[in-house]
Amino acid sequence: EAQVTQNPRYLITVTGKKLTVTCSQNMNHEYMSWYRQDPGLGLRQIYYSMNVEVTDKGDVPEGYKVSRKEKRNFPLILESPSPNQTSLYFCASSLAGLLPTDTQYFGPGTRLTVL
Amino acid sequence: AQSVTQLDSHVSVSEGTPVLLRCNYSSSYSPSLFWYVQHPNKGLQLLLKYTSAATLVKGINGFEAEFKKSETSFHLTKPSAHMSDAAEYFCVVSENNDMRFGAGTRLTVKP
């Protein structure tokens, strides 16, 4: 089954404790991205990657890191989480980017709470 | 840069009545427009998309949207609401590999 998977689905942590949220897709997609969803703000893009070893900042990259060493994986790293990073996070992928012909497929989400 | 405004944060309808979720956009060029649905505790699912072909776009589950350039709108409609339509809906505009989400409209369906 074609899908985007994220782990963990739920995470409660404390300020300053490094964490990684994994994202994996099995559709051989070139483009992957991370979003955060906050009430009243919709989804905002954190980082995206057009291909292996190619990453770029989205709208809200501060406090986050990403890497794209393999095509299928795109982990999101919070080196020193803070309470304002408490949010619902979505990973997404598409075949080649955000072209009109592309469709983004979203993972199930990771709900992160930073105390 | 493009942007999108969903005019209602919450819409409530009775089962069997029409649904209208409103979306206005701003864009410098010819945008692609999407509607996504998010059911509770689920990821986002694509309902439909407009990519400069027919202005009336049909999606899944009986939803459709009409692209009106003169009004810069892309409203989502469904003739008859079903209980399973209760969810949050996001209007999205995309151009030049940049995607912007609206704040979302929560649809409640009353029995």
Side-chain angles (χ1 to χ4, degrees), chain A residues 38-50:
Chain A
D38 301 291
L41 296 177
L43 275 73
R44 294 176 293 168
Q45 193 177 53
I46 302 170
Y47 269 95
Y48 66 95
S49 169
M50 297 295 290

Side-chain angles (χ1 to χ4, degrees), chain B:
Chain B
Q2 72 275 29
S3 66
V4 62
T5 302
Q6 292 184 242
L7 298 168
D8 308 290
S9 59
H10 186 212
V11 169
S12 181
V13 300
S14 297
E15 191 174 20
T17 64
V19 175
L20 170 64
L21 305 183
R22 299 182 295 164
C23 172
N24 285 352
Y25 71 92
S26 69
S27 171
S28 303
Y29 305 104
S30 298
S32 297
L33 293 158
F34 306 78
W35 277 99
Y36 281 86
V37 60
Q38 182 182 28
H39 287 95
N41 299 313
K42 301 284 187 184
L44 280 76
Q45 180 185 18
L46 181 67
L47 270 181
L48 50 83
K49 65 179 178 180
Y50 165 78
T51 59
S52 76
T55 55
L56 183 61
V57 183
K58 293 188 185 300
I60 61 172
N61 300 335
F63 284 94
E64 62 182 39
E66 186 170 8
F67 173 70
K68 291 188 176 179
K69 188 173 182 178
S70 60
E71 299 176 10
T72 60
S73 69
F74 190 59
H75 301 335
L76 181 71
T77 60
K78 183 173 180 177
S80 175
H82 192 272
M83 295 298 292
S84 61
D85 295 327
E88 185 141 23
Y89 292 79
F90 292 94
C91 182
V92 183
V93 61
S94 177
E95 64 179 15
N96 297 328
N97 269 327
D98 185 15
M99 196 174 225
R100 301 287 166 146
F101 285 75
T105 297
R106 182 164 299 280
L107 176 65
T108 301
V109 182
K110 297 175 289 187

Side-chain angles (χ1 to χ4, degrees), chain A residues 18-91:
Chain A
K18 181 179 178 180
L19 66 93
T20 299
V21 183
T22 64
C23 172
S24 183
Q25 51 93 4
N26 62 0
M27 296 169 277
N28 202 35
H29 284 171
E30 308 250 328
Y31 181 93
M32 297 185 75
S33 63
W34 275 103
Y35 296 87
R36 61 177 288 173
Q37 182 182 12
D38 301 291
L41 296 177
L43 275 73
R44 294 176 293 168
Q45 193 177 53
I46 302 170
Y47 269 95
Y48 66 95
S49 169
M50 297 295 290
N51 211 329
V52 175
E53 302 291 2
V54 180
T55 62
D56 260 309
K57 296 178 181 178
D59 295 321
V60 289
E62 292 77 23
Y64 304 95
K65 283 175 55 177
V66 293
S67 69
R68 187 91 182 274
K69 292 184 168 49
E70 307 165 277
K71 199 172 192 178
R72 63 182 293 127
N73 296 324
F74 191 46
L76 179 69
I77 303 155
L78 284 72
E79 295 268 4
S80 183
S82 62
N84 63 12
Q85 293 178 298
T86 293
S87 188
L88 179 58
Y89 292 85
F90 287 100
C91 181

